[in-house]
Structure formats: structure tokens, C-alpha cells
Amino acid sequence: MNKKMKTILAAAVLMLGTVAAMPADLKNEDGKRYEVKVHDGGTTRNTWIDGNSTVLSICSSCEIEVVGIGKMRVSGSDKLIIKNGKLSK
């Protein structure tokens, strides 16, 4: 394998690693605001999501709790959706 092919291969491997590390998003299709707790390791971050909005890159691997609705584990580029008062992927 020549030097040019090795460089292309290294770049491809780097790009694949970057794609795998894409964080999860949380989309709220309801018209109301919800309190959100992001449980990541031993810490919890309190935040919220407004109605009809999306929080991009909420975490890479964590548990999302939408208060009053439920909890769900996410990893990678998962997309969580709040719709009609329910949480789903």
C-alpha cells in the first residue's frame, strides 16, 4: 500500500470514529415546555425543552428524563421525540 492510500485510509477511519461519536438529539413536538434531567455518569444536569423545538447534541451516552413523561437511555446519534405526552425513539 502506498503512502497516498494509507493517508486516505487513515482519514476514512477518523471520519468513521467521528460519526460514531455523534451526540443524541431531543425533539419536542408538543406545544408545551417540559423539564428535562440529563443523567450522565454520576451527575445530573437540569434543563428544559420548549414546545415545538429541538435540543441538539444533548449527550453522547446518557439517560434522558422528561419529567412527568418518562426516562430513556440514548447513545450515539439517537433521536428522542416527545409527542402527545409520550417519549419515544
Side-chain angles (χ1 to χ4, degrees):
M1 189 179 321
N2 66 30
K3 187 174 181 176
K4 184 176 180 181
M5 288 182 71
K6 286 181 184 178
T7 302
I8 292 170
L9 180 61
V13 168
L14 181 61
M15 286 178 14
L16 285 174
T18 303
V19 170
M22 295 289 292
D25 299 334
L26 176 63
K27 182 176 184 179
N28 183 2
E29 294 184 358
D30 287 352
K32 70 181 236 179
R33 180 179 184 166
Y34 289 99
E35 180 182 357
V36 177
K37 296 183 181 206
V38 180
H39 305 285
D40 193 0
T43 64
T44 298
R45 178 171 42 103
N46 296 305
T47 187
W48 62 88
I49 184 168
D50 287 324
N52 301 308
S53 67
T54 301
V55 176
L56 299 174
S57 304
I58 195 161
C59 69
S60 294
S61 179
C62 66
E63 183 178 67
I64 303 293
E65 176 183 359
V66 180
V67 176
I69 292 182
K71 299 178 185 180
M72 197 168 284
R73 274 237 40 91
V74 295
S75 62
S77 59
D78 285 345
K79 306 271 188 257
L80 283 187
I81 298 172
I82 303 167
K83 186 173 183 177
N84 299 322
K86 296 180 182 173
L87 186 62
S88 64
K89 281 190 185 181

